[in-house]
Amino acid sequence: MHIVIMGCGRVGSTLALSMEELGHSAAVIDQDPQAFRRLGGTFRGRRVTGTGFDRDTLIAAGIEGAGAFAAVSSGDNSNIIAARVARETFGVENVCARIYDPRRAEIYERLGIPTVATVRWTADQMLRRLLPGGTEEHWRDPSGAVAFAEVHVAAAWVGQRVSRLESVAGIRVALLTRLGKGLLPDGETVLQEGDLVHVALRLAEQARVEEIFAKGPEH
């Protein structure tokens, strides 16, 4: 797939390089030609100097054959305008815009433009780490019966096998995040301090699971 990215800051350059690592092609648009230095010497895609919502600039970046468009510049208005042009003028199906103002993000979501509200997401993640507890839902099935979520685990569980946590709580631990990296646990995996535990659970049992995770194995 070909993706066009507007904005060659830290997010845009990382996204472009990641897309190439996954076997896709990428073109990056930025008004400042010096910004392309962030891509390094290994980037094989197009570097297009210009405005991300300009028709000719987008065509030069390959928007007509693109399967996705990401607007991740530093300007909310530019991002949303570019995202709408990509979708409404060029028919790009997969479009996303980074938005700093969460109030705007909600409005643009109603317009059908998926957004990532940087400030809100960062604040939510900081609160999650500073005031741990409860459940942070990642995904829910359309019926509302099953969810994939991060559940806070009390320090009392540190040193216990993941399999015991699963047995006591009656859930499936799908993933651990350890030192910033994903880990698929097996029967021998032991919980360590700082682990983030992501589980598949029935929503009807969420309160009970939270209580077991919060109290520890001996309760």
Side-chain angles (χ1 to χ4, degrees):
M1 183 177 71
H2 181 62
I3 180 174
V4 176
I5 301 166
M6 185 186 85
C8 196
R10 285 172 291 184
V11 173
S13 58
T14 300
L15 181 58
L17 294 170
S18 297
M19 289 296 290
E20 284 200 335
E21 289 177 0
L22 293 170
H24 304 292
S25 63
V28 184
I29 300 170
D30 202 287
Q31 292 179 296
D32 180 9
Q34 300 299 317
F36 298 125
R37 292 180 178 179
R38 293 188 177 94
L39 294 169
T42 61
F43 180 67
R44 301 183 301 276
R46 307 180 201 177
R47 299 168 172 86
V48 182
T49 303
T51 304
F53 46 81
D54 176 75
R55 179 184 176 88
D56 292 337
T57 300
L58 287 167
I59 291 174
I63 193 70
E64 293 171 308
F69 178 82
V72 291
S73 76
S74 59
D76 283 6
N77 290 336
S78 297
N79 286 343
I80 200 63
I81 292 171
R84 295 193 67 180
V85 169
R87 170 166 288 177
E88 297 169 13
T89 302
F90 294 99
V92 180
E93 182 177 354
N94 300 310
V95 171
C96 189
R98 179 173 69 172
I99 303 297
Y100 288 91
D101 186 343
R103 294 168 298 181
R104 289 182 177 180
E106 294 173 0
I107 294 172
Y108 297 142
E109 288 278 1
R110 294 193 208 106
L111 294 174
I113 301 295
T115 62
V116 176
T118 307
V119 174
R120 171 172 290 177
W121 183 88
T122 302
D124 287 346
Q125 292 301 307
M126 290 294 289
L127 286 170
R128 181 73 180 160
R129 304 300 174 250
L130 295 170
L131 303 172
T135 300
E136 180 183 9
E137 192 172 300
H138 299 318
W139 173 87
R140 178 183 297 197
D141 84 295
S143 72
V146 178
F148 177 60
E150 177 191 324
V151 183
H152 175 66
V153 180
W157 282 104
V158 172
Q160 300 290 326
R161 294 185 189 276
V162 169
S163 57
R164 184 179 184 193
L165 178 65
E166 291 179 320
S167 176
V168 173
I171 48 84
R172 179 73 58 84
V173 175
L175 172 72
L176 298 179
T177 301
R178 179 173 292 171
L179 300 176
K181 295 183 178 181
L183 171 67
L184 295 177
D186 57 30
E188 302 300 316
T189 303
V190 174
L191 290 167
Q192 296 182 9
E193 185 177 357
D195 281 354
L196 303 180
V197 181
H198 310 272
V199 308
L201 52 75
R202 294 183 179 85
L203 287 169
E205 300 176 356
Q206 178 176 323
R208 181 186 65 81
V209 171
E210 289 179 355
E211 183 178 5
I212 292 171
F213 274 46
K215 289 184 175 180
E218 303 304 326
H219 293 272

